[in-house]
Amino acid sequence: MAPGVNILAAMVPKIKEAVGKKLSKFSMRSGTSMSCPHVSGAAAFVKSVRRRWTSSMIKSALMTTAKTYDNRRKVLTNSSSHIANPHEAGSGEMNPIKALNPGLVFETTTQDYLQFLCYYGYSQKDIRSVASNTKFKCPEHSNKELISNINYPSISISKLRRNQSKVIQRTVTNVGPSNSAYIAKVQSPKGLVVKVIPDKIVFTKGLKRAPFEVSFFGNKEAASGYNYGSITWFDDRRSVRVVFTVNLD
């Protein structure tokens, strides 16, 4: 749920750690697993304020409002001091305060997760055995490529053939002002053509959810392998950033 590398976390010190030294009030641990308590605390904080939000709404808020720079205002780097890509830094560094007012969220429902199992290859019978909905039906022609269409706050395409396009679907829910408008801005590497349709979404009092599509096309100038970028929805006050990874064949 919350990957990370070399994440620092405080813990109650053990006596043996203080031999020959003044006893500290806390000890420190570092590792991938330490990301879990950090995110759990941030999610609990958001839930304490936004009590009606589901877990997927909270996850979306934390991901799409994350920072892409460190406390020195410099871009996030990996352990080799190179600029970190989304496979290394995820959506970025959490900002729980900003996550309280993300503007838009991506709601991932139980139906989405059940369909994920269909796309991944599990049988409808097996899925029904673990789901409360015994009448659940898998979509026809399920395959792993459809996993990219699950309404998640990031986009990942496992394989895109050069000079072919792929369209991804998403739906956003407005949790900000009832009357607001968002414009999409794309940041993509050279050769990877990314278009958002529509590139402007207008919410009114009676409209809370809006779908949009993202088309990806890799031309001859695009690099082979994983290409990274982002789509950011802006209004006058908020920005909702969705990172994407596209594996170009």
Side-chain angles (χ1 to χ4, degrees), residues 66-103:
K67 298 183 296 182
T68 57
Y69 52 86
D70 60 21
N71 58 355
R72 300 170 299 171
R73 307 291 297 184
K74 294 183 178 181
V75 65
L76 295 176
T77 57
N78 57 25
S79 57
S80 300
S81 298
H82 297 134
I83 296 175
N85 63 51
H87 279 157
E88 297 167 327
S91 293
E93 183 179 318
M94 290 185 304
N95 186 338
I97 298 295
K98 194 174 181 181
L100 293 175
N101 295 287

mmCIF file of all heavy atoms in Angstrom, residues 66-103:
data_model
loop_
_atom_site.group_PDB
_atom_site.id
_atom_site.type_symbol
_atom_site.label_atom_id
_atom_site.label_comp_id
_atom_site.label_asym_id
_atom_site.label_seq_id
_atom_site.Cartn_x
_atom_site.Cartn_y
_atom_site.Cartn_z
ATOM 1 N N ALA A 66 0.961 14.920 -3.459
ATOM 2 C CA ALA A 66 2.323 14.694 -2.964
ATOM 3 C C ALA A 66 3.325 15.653 -3.620
ATOM 4 O O ALA A 66 3.152 16.078 -4.759
ATOM 5 C CB ALA A 66 2.741 13.249 -3.228
ATOM 6 N N LYS A 67 4.384 15.970 -2.868
ATOM 7 C CA LYS A 67 5.433 16.863 -3.363
ATOM 8 C C LYS A 67 6.453 16.091 -4.193
ATOM 9 O O LYS A 67 6.721 14.921 -3.925
ATOM 10 C CB LYS A 67 6.146 17.537 -2.194
ATOM 11 C CG LYS A 67 5.262 18.416 -1.325
ATOM 12 C CD LYS A 67 6.059 19.094 -0.228
ATOM 13 C CE LYS A 67 6.640 18.075 0.752
ATOM 14 N NZ LYS A 67 7.377 18.727 1.856
ATOM 15 N N THR A 68 7.043 16.765 -5.167
ATOM 16 C CA THR A 68 8.082 16.143 -5.989
ATOM 17 C C THR A 68 9.448 16.754 -5.697
ATOM 18 O O THR A 68 10.364 16.637 -6.494
ATOM 19 C CB THR A 68 7.755 16.298 -7.485
ATOM 20 O OG1 THR A 68 7.609 17.700 -7.785
ATOM 21 C CG2 THR A 68 6.465 15.583 -7.835
ATOM 22 N N TYR A 69 9.559 17.412 -4.544
ATOM 23 C CA TYR A 69 10.826 18.015 -4.149
ATOM 24 C C TYR A 69 11.063 17.756 -2.665
ATOM 25 O O TYR A 69 10.149 17.417 -1.917
ATOM 26 C CB TYR A 69 10.814 19.523 -4.431
ATOM 27 C CG TYR A 69 9.619 20.241 -3.840
ATOM 28 C CD1 TYR A 69 9.614 20.702 -2.528
ATOM 29 C CD2 TYR A 69 8.472 20.452 -4.600
ATOM 30 C CE1 TYR A 69 8.521 21.342 -1.981
ATOM 31 C CE2 TYR A 69 7.360 21.096 -4.065
ATOM 32 C CZ TYR A 69 7.405 21.542 -2.752
ATOM 33 O OH TYR A 69 6.303 22.163 -2.218
ATOM 34 N N ASP A 70 12.310 17.899 -2.216
ATOM 35 C CA ASP A 70 12.643 17.621 -0.820
ATOM 36 C C ASP A 70 12.597 18.908 0.011
ATOM 37 O O ASP A 70 12.149 19.960 -0.470
ATOM 38 C CB ASP A 70 14.015 16.941 -0.715
ATOM 39 C CG ASP A 70 15.142 17.796 -1.295
ATOM 40 O OD1 ASP A 70 14.970 19.032 -1.402
ATOM 41 O OD2 ASP A 70 16.204 17.242 -1.623
ATOM 42 N N ASN A 71 13.073 18.833 1.266
ATOM 43 C CA ASN A 71 12.986 20.000 2.157
ATOM 44 C C ASN A 71 13.998 21.098 1.803
ATOM 45 O O ASN A 71 13.993 22.155 2.421
ATOM 46 C CB ASN A 71 13.165 19.568 3.619
ATOM 47 C CG ASN A 71 14.490 18.861 3.852
ATOM 48 O OD1 ASN A 71 15.240 18.614 2.915
ATOM 49 N ND2 ASN A 71 14.761 18.521 5.095
ATOM 50 N N ARG A 72 14.815 20.845 0.779
ATOM 51 C CA ARG A 72 15.717 21.883 0.271
ATOM 52 C C ARG A 72 15.163 22.502 -1.009
ATOM 53 O O ARG A 72 15.865 23.256 -1.678
ATOM 54 C CB ARG A 72 17.104 21.289 -0.001
ATOM 55 C CG ARG A 72 17.780 20.690 1.230
ATOM 56 C CD ARG A 72 19.019 19.917 0.816
ATOM 57 N NE ARG A 72 18.667 18.805 -0.080
ATOM 58 C CZ ARG A 72 19.553 18.072 -0.736
ATOM 59 N NH1 ARG A 72 20.845 18.325 -0.608
ATOM 60 N NH2 ARG A 72 19.144 17.085 -1.537
ATOM 61 N N ARG A 73 13.928 22.110 -1.337
ATOM 62 C CA ARG A 73 13.266 22.563 -2.559
ATOM 63 C C ARG A 73 13.977 22.058 -3.819
ATOM 64 O O ARG A 73 13.924 22.683 -4.872
ATOM 65 C CB ARG A 73 13.164 24.099 -2.607
ATOM 66 C CG ARG A 73 12.537 24.744 -1.403
ATOM 67 C CD ARG A 73 11.067 24.453 -1.285
ATOM 68 N NE ARG A 73 10.297 24.989 -2.394
ATOM 69 C CZ ARG A 73 8.959 24.924 -2.459
ATOM 70 N NH1 ARG A 73 8.278 24.334 -1.482
ATOM 71 N NH2 ARG A 73 8.310 25.436 -3.493
ATOM 72 N N LYS A 74 14.642 20.909 -3.691
ATOM 73 C CA LYS A 74 15.309 20.293 -4.832
ATOM 74 C C LYS A 74 14.559 19.023 -5.221
ATOM 75 O O LYS A 74 13.907 18.390 -4.397
ATOM 76 C CB LYS A 74 16.771 19.974 -4.500
ATOM 77 C CG LYS A 74 17.630 21.208 -4.265
ATOM 78 C CD LYS A 74 19.075 20.828 -4.018
ATOM 79 C CE LYS A 74 19.944 22.060 -3.829
ATOM 80 N NZ LYS A 74 21.375 21.707 -3.614
ATOM 81 N N VAL A 75 14.667 18.651 -6.503
ATOM 82 C CA VAL A 75 13.939 17.498 -7.018
ATOM 83 C C VAL A 75 14.342 16.231 -6.258
ATOM 84 O O VAL A 75 15.503 16.077 -5.826
ATOM 85 C CB VAL A 75 14.214 17.337 -8.530
ATOM 86 C CG1 VAL A 75 15.685 17.010 -8.800
ATOM 87 C CG2 VAL A 75 13.303 16.292 -9.138
ATOM 88 N N LEU A 76 13.394 15.314 -6.064
ATOM 89 C CA LEU A 76 13.673 14.070 -5.352
ATOM 90 C C LEU A 76 14.661 13.219 -6.141
ATOM 91 O O LEU A 76 14.579 13.124 -7.369
ATOM 92 C CB LEU A 76 12.373 13.279 -5.147
ATOM 93 C CG LEU A 76 11.311 13.921 -4.253
ATOM 94 C CD1 LEU A 76 10.041 13.055 -4.233
ATOM 95 C CD2 LEU A 76 11.832 14.105 -2.828
ATOM 96 N N THR A 77 15.609 12.619 -5.432
ATOM 97 C CA THR A 77 16.629 11.787 -6.075
ATOM 98 C C THR A 77 16.610 10.379 -5.491
ATOM 99 O O THR A 77 16.049 10.142 -4.414
ATOM 100 C CB THR A 77 18.034 12.388 -5.901
ATOM 101 O OG1 THR A 77 18.311 12.549 -4.499
ATOM 102 C CG2 THR A 77 18.130 13.734 -6.586
ATOM 103 N N ASN A 78 17.240 9.436 -6.195
ATOM 104 C CA ASN A 78 17.349 8.069 -5.696
ATOM 105 C C ASN A 78 18.679 7.886 -4.968
ATOM 106 O O ASN A 78 19.432 8.850 -4.772
ATOM 107 C CB ASN A 78 17.199 7.060 -6.845
ATOM 108 C CG ASN A 78 18.219 7.292 -7.956
ATOM 109 O OD1 ASN A 78 19.293 7.856 -7.740
ATOM 110 N ND2 ASN A 78 17.881 6.850 -9.163
ATOM 111 N N SER A 79 18.985 6.653 -4.596
ATOM 112 C CA SER A 79 20.196 6.379 -3.821
ATOM 113 C C SER A 79 21.472 6.616 -4.626
ATOM 114 O O SER A 79 22.563 6.690 -4.057
ATOM 115 C CB SER A 79 20.171 4.938 -3.299
ATOM 116 O OG SER A 79 20.044 4.019 -4.366
ATOM 117 N N SER A 80 21.345 6.745 -5.954
ATOM 118 C CA SER A 80 22.504 7.028 -6.811
ATOM 119 C C SER A 80 22.611 8.511 -7.143
ATOM 120 O O SER A 80 23.400 8.911 -7.995
ATOM 121 C CB SER A 80 22.403 6.223 -8.122
ATOM 122 O OG SER A 80 22.363 4.840 -7.867
ATOM 123 N N SER A 81 21.781 9.331 -6.468
ATOM 124 C CA SER A 81 21.764 10.791 -6.638
ATOM 125 C C SER A 81 21.249 11.230 -8.005
ATOM 126 O O SER A 81 21.485 12.359 -8.428
ATOM 127 C CB SER A 81 23.167 11.390 -6.396
ATOM 128 O OG SER A 81 23.568 11.137 -5.063
ATOM 129 N N HIS A 82 20.561 10.323 -8.709
ATOM 130 C CA HIS A 82 19.905 10.684 -9.957
ATOM 131 C C HIS A 82 18.458 11.050 -9.673
ATOM 132 O O HIS A 82 17.892 10.676 -8.647
ATOM 133 C CB HIS A 82 19.966 9.517 -10.952
ATOM 134 C CG HIS A 82 21.343 9.147 -11.363
ATOM 135 N ND1 HIS A 82 21.802 7.841 -11.411
ATOM 136 C CD2 HIS A 82 22.400 9.917 -11.712
ATOM 137 C CE1 HIS A 82 23.057 7.825 -11.793
ATOM 138 N NE2 HIS A 82 23.455 9.076 -11.971
ATOM 139 N N ILE A 83 17.830 11.783 -10.590
ATOM 140 C CA ILE A 83 16.425 12.156 -10.416
ATOM 141 C C ILE A 83 15.578 10.893 -10.301
ATOM 142 O O ILE A 83 15.666 9.989 -11.129
ATOM 143 C CB ILE A 83 15.939 13.023 -11.589
ATOM 144 C CG1 ILE A 83 16.703 14.355 -11.611
ATOM 145 C CG2 ILE A 83 14.439 13.284 -11.490
ATOM 146 C CD1 ILE A 83 16.366 15.225 -12.802
ATOM 147 N N ALA A 84 14.771 10.823 -9.250
ATOM 148 C CA ALA A 84 13.960 9.629 -8.996
ATOM 149 C C ALA A 84 12.757 9.584 -9.930
ATOM 150 O O ALA A 84 12.083 10.587 -10.136
ATOM 151 C CB ALA A 84 13.505 9.615 -7.543
ATOM 152 N N ASN A 85 12.501 8.420 -10.509
ATOM 153 C CA ASN A 85 11.317 8.254 -11.356
ATOM 154 C C ASN A 85 10.173 7.676 -10.513
ATOM 155 O O ASN A 85 10.377 7.291 -9.359
ATOM 156 C CB ASN A 85 11.645 7.364 -12.562
ATOM 157 C CG ASN A 85 12.041 5.955 -12.160
ATOM 158 O OD1 ASN A 85 11.340 5.287 -11.398
ATOM 159 N ND2 ASN A 85 13.184 5.472 -12.678
ATOM 160 N N PRO A 86 8.946 7.599 -11.050
ATOM 161 C CA PRO A 86 7.809 7.104 -10.267
ATOM 162 C C PRO A 86 7.958 5.679 -9.761
ATOM 163 O O PRO A 86 7.303 5.309 -8.775
ATOM 164 C CB PRO A 86 6.636 7.219 -11.256
ATOM 165 C CG PRO A 86 7.011 8.347 -12.145
ATOM 166 C CD PRO A 86 8.505 8.204 -12.328
ATOM 167 N N HIS A 87 8.785 4.863 -10.390
ATOM 168 C CA HIS A 87 9.012 3.520 -9.867
ATOM 169 C C HIS A 87 9.905 3.547 -8.627
ATOM 170 O O HIS A 87 10.002 2.559 -7.906
ATOM 171 C CB HIS A 87 9.652 2.636 -10.943
ATOM 172 C CG HIS A 87 8.658 2.099 -11.924
ATOM 173 N ND1 HIS A 87 9.000 1.687 -13.195
ATOM 174 C CD2 HIS A 87 7.312 1.921 -11.838
ATOM 175 C CE1 HIS A 87 7.924 1.272 -13.836
ATOM 176 N NE2 HIS A 87 6.891 1.412 -13.029
ATOM 177 N N GLU A 88 10.558 4.672 -8.397
ATOM 178 C CA GLU A 88 11.440 4.816 -7.230
ATOM 179 C C GLU A 88 10.831 5.706 -6.150
ATOM 180 O O GLU A 88 11.006 5.452 -4.960
ATOM 181 C CB GLU A 88 12.783 5.403 -7.679
ATOM 182 C CG GLU A 88 13.533 4.492 -8.630
ATOM 183 C CD GLU A 88 14.702 5.188 -9.312
ATOM 184 O OE1 GLU A 88 14.607 6.406 -9.583
ATOM 185 O OE2 GLU A 88 15.712 4.505 -9.584
ATOM 186 N N ALA A 89 10.121 6.737 -6.562
ATOM 187 C CA ALA A 89 9.572 7.701 -5.593
ATOM 188 C C ALA A 89 8.055 7.706 -5.544
ATOM 189 O O ALA A 89 7.473 8.491 -4.799
ATOM 190 C CB ALA A 89 10.076 9.108 -5.930
ATOM 191 N N GLY A 90 7.413 6.832 -6.330
ATOM 192 C CA GLY A 90 5.952 6.815 -6.347
ATOM 193 C C GLY A 90 5.408 8.148 -6.826
ATOM 194 O O GLY A 90 5.928 8.749 -7.766
ATOM 195 N N SER A 91 4.371 8.642 -6.150
ATOM 196 C CA SER A 91 3.801 9.944 -6.510
ATOM 197 C C SER A 91 4.586 11.085 -5.893
ATOM 198 O O SER A 91 4.377 12.245 -6.251
ATOM 199 C CB SER A 91 2.342 10.013 -6.048
ATOM 200 O OG SER A 91 1.548 9.109 -6.776
ATOM 201 N N GLY A 92 5.472 10.770 -4.950
ATOM 202 C CA GLY A 92 6.270 11.807 -4.310
ATOM 203 C C GLY A 92 6.207 11.712 -2.794
ATOM 204 O O GLY A 92 5.914 10.657 -2.237
ATOM 205 N N GLU A 93 6.485 12.821 -2.128
ATOM 206 C CA GLU A 93 6.483 12.875 -0.664
ATOM 207 C C GLU A 93 5.147 13.419 -0.173
ATOM 208 O O GLU A 93 4.677 14.463 -0.622
ATOM 209 C CB GLU A 93 7.618 13.777 -0.171
ATOM 210 C CG GLU A 93 7.737 13.824 1.335
ATOM 211 C CD GLU A 93 8.883 14.716 1.788
ATOM 212 O OE1 GLU A 93 9.954 14.637 1.151
ATOM 213 O OE2 GLU A 93 8.689 15.482 2.749
ATOM 214 N N MET A 94 4.522 12.687 0.740
ATOM 215 C CA MET A 94 3.183 13.062 1.219
ATOM 216 C C MET A 94 3.138 14.460 1.830
ATOM 217 O O MET A 94 4.087 14.912 2.452
ATOM 218 C CB MET A 94 2.712 12.076 2.288
ATOM 219 C CG MET A 94 2.388 10.700 1.829
ATOM 220 S SD MET A 94 1.725 9.737 3.206
ATOM 221 C CE MET A 94 3.040 9.893 4.427
ATOM 222 N N ASN A 95 1.987 15.092 1.657
ATOM 223 C CA ASN A 95 1.697 16.375 2.277
ATOM 224 C C ASN A 95 0.290 16.276 2.886
ATOM 225 O O ASN A 95 -0.698 16.656 2.246
ATOM 226 C CB ASN A 95 1.754 17.503 1.245
ATOM 227 C CG ASN A 95 1.607 18.877 1.874
ATOM 228 O OD1 ASN A 95 1.087 19.021 2.973
ATOM 229 N ND2 ASN A 95 2.062 19.902 1.170
ATOM 230 N N PRO A 96 0.163 15.715 4.111
ATOM 231 C CA PRO A 96 -1.156 15.452 4.701
ATOM 232 C C PRO A 96 -2.050 16.684 4.810
ATOM 233 O O PRO A 96 -3.269 16.564 4.651
ATOM 234 C CB PRO A 96 -0.815 14.892 6.088
ATOM 235 C CG PRO A 96 0.551 14.312 5.931
ATOM 236 C CD PRO A 96 1.258 15.227 4.969
ATOM 237 N N ILE A 97 -1.457 17.847 5.064
ATOM 238 C CA ILE A 97 -2.271 19.068 5.156
ATOM 239 C C ILE A 97 -2.907 19.379 3.804
ATOM 240 O O ILE A 97 -4.107 19.661 3.701
ATOM 241 C CB ILE A 97 -1.418 20.265 5.634
ATOM 242 C CG1 ILE A 97 -0.861 20.002 7.039
ATOM 243 C CG2 ILE A 97 -2.244 21.538 5.617
ATOM 244 C CD1 ILE A 97 -1.917 19.896 8.107
ATOM 245 N N LYS A 98 -2.121 19.314 2.762
ATOM 246 C CA LYS A 98 -2.636 19.590 1.416
ATOM 247 C C LYS A 98 -3.655 18.534 0.992
ATOM 248 O O LYS A 98 -4.599 18.827 0.241
ATOM 249 C CB LYS A 98 -1.479 19.642 0.418
ATOM 250 C CG LYS A 98 -1.845 20.241 -0.930
ATOM 251 C CD LYS A 98 -0.622 20.387 -1.817
ATOM 252 C CE LYS A 98 -0.997 21.012 -3.161
ATOM 253 N NZ LYS A 98 0.197 21.143 -4.045
ATOM 254 N N ALA A 99 -3.480 17.307 1.488
ATOM 255 C CA ALA A 99 -4.387 16.217 1.125
ATOM 256 C C ALA A 99 -5.794 16.421 1.682
ATOM 257 O O ALA A 99 -6.739 15.769 1.222
ATOM 258 C CB ALA A 99 -3.831 14.882 1.617
ATOM 259 N N LEU A 100 -5.952 17.314 2.635
ATOM 260 C CA LEU A 100 -7.280 17.590 3.184
ATOM 261 C C LEU A 100 -8.169 18.289 2.158
ATOM 262 O O LEU A 100 -9.397 18.201 2.236
ATOM 263 C CB LEU A 100 -7.174 18.463 4.443
ATOM 264 C CG LEU A 100 -6.521 17.823 5.666
ATOM 265 C CD1 LEU A 100 -6.390 18.852 6.782
ATOM 266 C CD2 LEU A 100 -7.324 16.617 6.136
ATOM 267 N N ASN A 101 -7.560 18.988 1.208
ATOM 268 C CA ASN A 101 -8.312 19.731 0.198
ATOM 269 C C ASN A 101 -7.726 19.475 -1.190
ATOM 270 O O ASN A 101 -7.161 20.383 -1.807
ATOM 271 C CB ASN A 101 -8.298 21.229 0.519
ATOM 272 C CG ASN A 101 -9.024 21.548 1.811
ATOM 273 O OD1 ASN A 101 -10.254 21.501 1.872
ATOM 274 N ND2 ASN A 101 -8.262 21.884 2.848
ATOM 275 N N PRO A 102 -7.857 18.244 -1.700
ATOM 276 C CA PRO A 102 -7.258 17.919 -2.996
ATOM 277 C C PRO A 102 -8.035 18.461 -4.189
ATOM 278 O O PRO A 102 -7.505 18.549 -5.288
ATOM 279 C CB PRO A 102 -7.275 16.387 -3.001
ATOM 280 C CG PRO A 102 -8.484 16.047 -2.190
ATOM 281 C CD PRO A 102 -8.535 17.092 -1.098
ATOM 282 N N GLY A 103 -9.293 18.794 -3.977
ATOM 283 C CA GLY A 103 -10.132 19.259 -5.087
ATOM 284 C C GLY A 103 -10.826 18.119 -5.796
ATOM 285 O O GLY A 103 -12.054 18.055 -5.860
#
